[in-house]
Amino acid sequence: MDAKQRVGVVVAGLTALALAFGTGLALGSPDEEGRPLAKPPTRQPVTDPIALANADLTATASCDELLSWYVDRGLERVTAYGWDSGMVYAMDAGADSETGRDASSSAGAPGVAQVTGSTSTGTGTNVQEAGVDEPDVVKSDGEILVRVQDDQLTAYDVTGDEPAYLDSVDLPDVADAEILLVGDTVVALGTDTAPLPTGPTAPDGRYLTQTGTTRMLVVDVSDPVALEITEDFTYDASLVTARLHGGVVRLALSVGLPALDFVDPGGLRTEGSALERNRDLVRATTLADWLPTISTGDDGAGEDLLGCSDVALPDDDAGLGTLAVVGFDAATPETWDVSAVATDSLTAYFSADRMVLATSAWGGGGWCCVDPPTTGGDDGTTRLYSFALVGTSTTYVASGEVEGSVADRWAMDAADGVLRLAVGPTTMTGNFNSVVTLEESGDDLHELGRVDKLGVDEQIKSVRWFDDLAIVVTFRQTDPLYAVDLTDPAAPALLGELKVPGFSEYLHPLGRWRMIGVGQAADASTGMTQGAQAALFDVHDVTRPRRLDVTTYAAGSRAQAAVDPRQFTWLPEQRTVLTVVAEGDVGTTGSVSVLRVEAGRLTNRMVEVEYGAEVDQVRLVPLATGKVVLVTGDAVTFFDLDG
């Protein structure tokens, strides 16, 4: 549908809406709160067992065998005080979505980086991998823009001189929702806040709300003046992350260690009796405690999301929990493929055709807003599982391990059957960081090559992958920027190094030989941070990377893209970067830094746009027309690029 057709639909829709109000016709049967009821969806899971390309992960022969597997490992984890590392629930709020990786190739001599421009996805979100969309609070197809705020989805027409409100719909019982846009369909994902229909109550008799559950609402936006919820699903699992590619939505859902009524030693209860009591509770668990369920609507009874044969068991200690990957066509969400691995991994990397899980033995700790670090288990290694993504299916192909820790999904990349990792130190490594390459060989991820001693006694702050180049930034007192040649994956080589004050927490390519880093300025002698900065780099000769220019911001300020790269936008036609900078923790002021890149220099203009907690929600959405939509807590407007 082109812009004129869309406007025609809008006008017709507004006319129909006016007639409906004028004649008193009902547009749908509302519930007691006045919101339209979604049609009852049907569900039909795909029942084929998990696809295993090899036997490194094994499918269970029966449900009894699967339950025994969980219980046996649970007995190893339980103590007289409960689980050894606490309950593992996690949700990736998408707060670390970044821009796509380059699709360029450097077939020439190493030392000349082929770094082409990278822009936002077609829906306006700055993502990690080109063509792989990620959830956000704002999406646009260039004609309408949809945003979610305060658990309400609102649509705007962005084809005119100013954005125009079209319609809104409440998203019931969803907290911190984010959305994907697929054609005329919005998929909204968030934490389920519906009260439990039965079960524990608060002291005043109210039902306690659910925890560790994910609600997914599907909204039809084909008529943008009459938004309609068409599907309503609740998963009894935490959302680790979600991705969209080729019309297929994938959800990574995690069920951690069950919440059991453990006891502690004390009074007449000894540690030995407490341990035995807690072990009895683990023995009494059922598969319902370990596997996710799915239900429809507020009162729908939970049903199994997957079968016992859908769960693959690692052949080594990869933590304890269940990580399920649900794939479905956005047009038919009632039918899905699902695969699961019995692991507590919360770090999942997605490209267009691969998913890689990174997990550590004895993993633990809950994370809410960013990918958790995989710290390495007691043996200092990180386990890796690679899956092929074809259609809605997820097929396991290879696994391996690497000595060291994988901080988050940004430290992983897959290209042409090669997995590239930036790893930090553990008990199995030296006091340095490394870049490691692994190849899918049979059912193994076989190490091809590595570069060690990047940032001795320093921490990795950011990583950027290109087809044949890795840029790794570490920090202690200064910012060493390392350029690693990946032209030959079997022989990666450190080509160049640059030390400058401060550090870059987010890196973005601006062209074949330019890159910008946003992060923190710091005192070169003490390493004390001083405020946000943006630095322009020349990587034409990666043996001698250079910082061409730097823009510093107010003392104590922070670059929002360091935490949430969705607050970074690159406009290649205008040679302009738009990035959000915040000042102050109490009484926060959020401004858009308009950075022009001209002749190797940065010029900056600051525009105050938002205040308080809603600074985190500021988005700048580029349209194909050249306009940019500014979304703040209170308004949706076009942003004036020229001031």
Side-chain angles (χ1 to χ4, degrees):
M1 180 184 299
D2 61 24
K4 292 182 179 179
Q5 290 173 316
R6 175 79 74 179
V7 172
V9 170
V10 170
V11 173
L14 289 171
T15 302
L17 184 61
L19 289 173
F21 276 111
T23 60
L25 296 177
L27 297 178
S29 300
D31 66 6
E32 66 276 10
E33 295 180 9
R35 61 179 182 246
L37 288 174
K39 67 179 181 65
T42 58
R43 302 193 305 278
Q44 183 178 350
V46 176
T47 57
D48 292 338
I50 186 171
L52 299 175
N54 54 67
D56 212 27
L57 288 177
T58 58
T60 51
S62 68
C63 290
D64 288 342
E65 178 184 328
L66 179 60
L67 179 58
S68 295
W69 191 94
Y70 281 116
V71 170
D72 290 346
R73 282 153 184 79
L75 291 174
E76 296 174 0
R77 295 289 300 270
V78 73
T79 73
Y81 299 87
W83 296 121
D84 59 353
S85 59
M87 190 173 168
V88 182
Y89 279 123
M91 179 184 72
D92 176 3
D96 53 353
S97 305
E98 294 187 7
T99 186
R101 180 170 53 87
D102 262 322
S104 59
S105 175
S106 174
V112 178
Q114 300 292 309
V115 183
T116 59
S118 180
T119 60
S120 302
T121 63
T123 62
T125 300
N126 197 21
V127 297
Q128 181 180 10
E129 287 287 352
V132 183
D133 206 0
E134 305 179 14
D136 201 352
V137 294
V138 178
K139 294 289 180 180
S140 177
D141 64 4
E143 297 175 358
I144 66 166
L145 178 142
V146 284
R147 69 167 302 184
V148 62
Q149 183 191 31
D150 297 330
D151 308 326
Q152 185 178 73
L153 183 73
T154 305
Y156 298 83
D157 180 359
V158 290
T159 61
D161 292 334
E162 292 293 337
Y165 169 85
L166 297 175
D167 191 28
S168 61
V169 62
D170 289 337
L171 302 178
D173 301 320
V174 179
D176 303 319
E178 294 190 341
I179 57 177
L180 294 165
L181 175 63
V182 195
D184 292 328
T185 300
V186 167
V187 177
L189 298 156
T191 303
D192 182 31
T193 60
L196 289 165
T198 60
T201 59
D204 61 3
R206 293 179 295 106
Y207 287 124
L208 297 179
T209 58
Q210 303 178 67
T211 59
T213 57
T214 299
R215 199 176 190 103
M216 182 179 80
L217 301 174
V218 180
V219 185
D220 182 358
V221 297
S222 58
D223 183 354
V225 298
L227 307 182
E228 179 187 7
I229 296 175
T230 59
E231 306 281 5
D232 183 348
F233 297 110
T234 299
Y235 301 94
D236 185 22
S238 296
L239 180 66
V240 176
T241 193
R243 293 293 183 272
L244 168 66
H245 176 69
V248 174
V249 176
R250 280 189 171 81
L251 311 179
L253 300 163
S254 176
V255 178
L257 302 175
L260 303 178
D261 190 19
F262 288 129
V263 299
D264 293 331
L268 299 178
R269 182 179 288 121
T270 66
E271 283 202 9
S273 63
L275 174 60
E276 190 54 36
R277 164 65 177 169
N278 291 343
R279 288 173 64 86
D280 285 342
L281 291 173
V282 174
R283 292 187 186 99
T285 58
T286 67
L287 283 176
D289 295 306
W290 298 97
L291 299 181
T293 61
I294 183 172
S295 58
T296 304
D298 291 344
D299 301 322
E303 300 178 9
D304 294 339
L305 176 64
L306 44 77
C308 297
S309 60
D310 295 319
V311 185
L313 305 179
D315 62 359
D316 54 15
D317 195 346
L320 185 58
T322 306
L323 193 288
V325 181
V326 181
F328 57 88
D329 190 301
T332 56
E334 69 277 6
T335 302
W336 62 85
D337 276 309
V338 62
S339 298
V341 180
T343 175
D344 63 356
S345 174
L346 303 178
T347 302
Y349 158 81
F350 283 85
S351 69
D353 62 357
R354 283 293 183 272
M355 178 186 77
V356 180
L357 298 180
T359 185
S360 299
W362 308 100
W367 297 80
C368 69
C369 304
V370 296
D371 284 338
T374 302
T375 57
D378 288 349
D379 60 356
T381 62
T382 296
R383 277 76 176 179
L384 304 162
Y385 302 95
S386 180
F387 296 79
L389 307 178
V390 180
T392 59
S393 67
T394 303
T395 303
Y396 167 73
V397 292
S399 64
E401 63 182 34
V402 62
E403 294 178 349
S405 63
V406 177
D408 53 34
R409 65 185 173 97
W410 300 103
M412 297 189 283
D413 180 73
D416 300 324
V418 176
L419 176 63
R420 295 102 68 91
L421 305 172
V423 299
T426 65
T427 56
M428 292 295 292
T429 71
N431 59 337
F432 50 75
N433 305 286
S434 305
V435 168
V436 183
T437 58
L438 301 100
E439 181 182 34
E440 294 177 1
S441 178
D443 61 2
D444 291 325
L445 286 171
H446 172 72
E447 184 174 316
L448 287 176
R450 63 188 302 136
V451 174
D452 294 320
K453 297 189 176 180
L454 304 178
V456 176
D457 286 330
E458 295 181 342
Q459 179 185 8
I460 293 177
K461 287 295 185 180
S462 57
V463 183
R464 195 69 184 185
W465 303 97
F466 306 100
D467 280 354
D468 53 7
L469 177 70
I471 301 293
V472 180
V473 173
T474 64
F475 179 74
R476 186 178 181 185
Q477 290 182 327
T478 58
D479 171 2
L481 182 150
Y482 298 97
V484 178
D485 177 30
L486 299 170
T487 305
D488 180 0
L494 176 61
L495 295 179
E497 177 182 345
L498 173 66
K499 289 191 176 184
V500 291
F503 53 89
S504 298
E505 296 171 279
Y506 174 65
L507 298 168
H508 195 99
L510 303 185
R512 294 184 67 194
W513 303 307
R514 294 287 189 270
M515 182 173 63
I516 195 167
V518 294
Q520 282 283 316
D523 185 278
S525 60
T526 65
M528 294 293 293
T529 57
Q530 300 172 327
Q533 73 172 19
L536 179 65
F537 297 97
D538 182 343
V539 290
H540 175 269
D541 180 357
V542 291
T543 65
R544 298 181 60 189
R546 295 184 298 151
R547 188 173 76 173
L548 300 178
D549 200 6
V550 63
T551 293
T552 57
Y553 302 95
S557 60
R558 58 190 179 276
Q560 292 289 100
V563 176
D564 187 351
R566 296 175 303 181
Q567 295 191 280
F568 180 103
T569 301
W570 164 236
L571 306 174
E573 297 298 323
Q574 294 92 339
R575 303 294 298 168
T576 299
V577 168
L578 306 175
T579 188
V580 181
V581 176
E583 298 178 45
D585 295 323
V586 177
T588 303
T589 297
S591 300
V592 175
S593 172
V594 184
L595 290 164
R596 301 280 187 179
V597 184
E598 298 175 320
R601 292 291 180 266
L602 297 173
T603 58
N604 181 45
R605 176 171 62 92
M606 301 294 288
V607 182
E608 286 189 14
V609 296
E610 189 53 277
Y611 309 95
E614 291 180 335
V615 170
D616 294 342
Q617 300 292 305
V618 173
R619 297 292 187 271
L620 294 132
V621 182
L623 305 178
T625 59
K627 294 181 179 179
V628 175
V629 183
L630 171 65
V631 179
T632 63
D634 300 322
V636 174
T637 60
F638 287 129
F639 184 75
D640 185 356
L641 291 173
D642 299 319

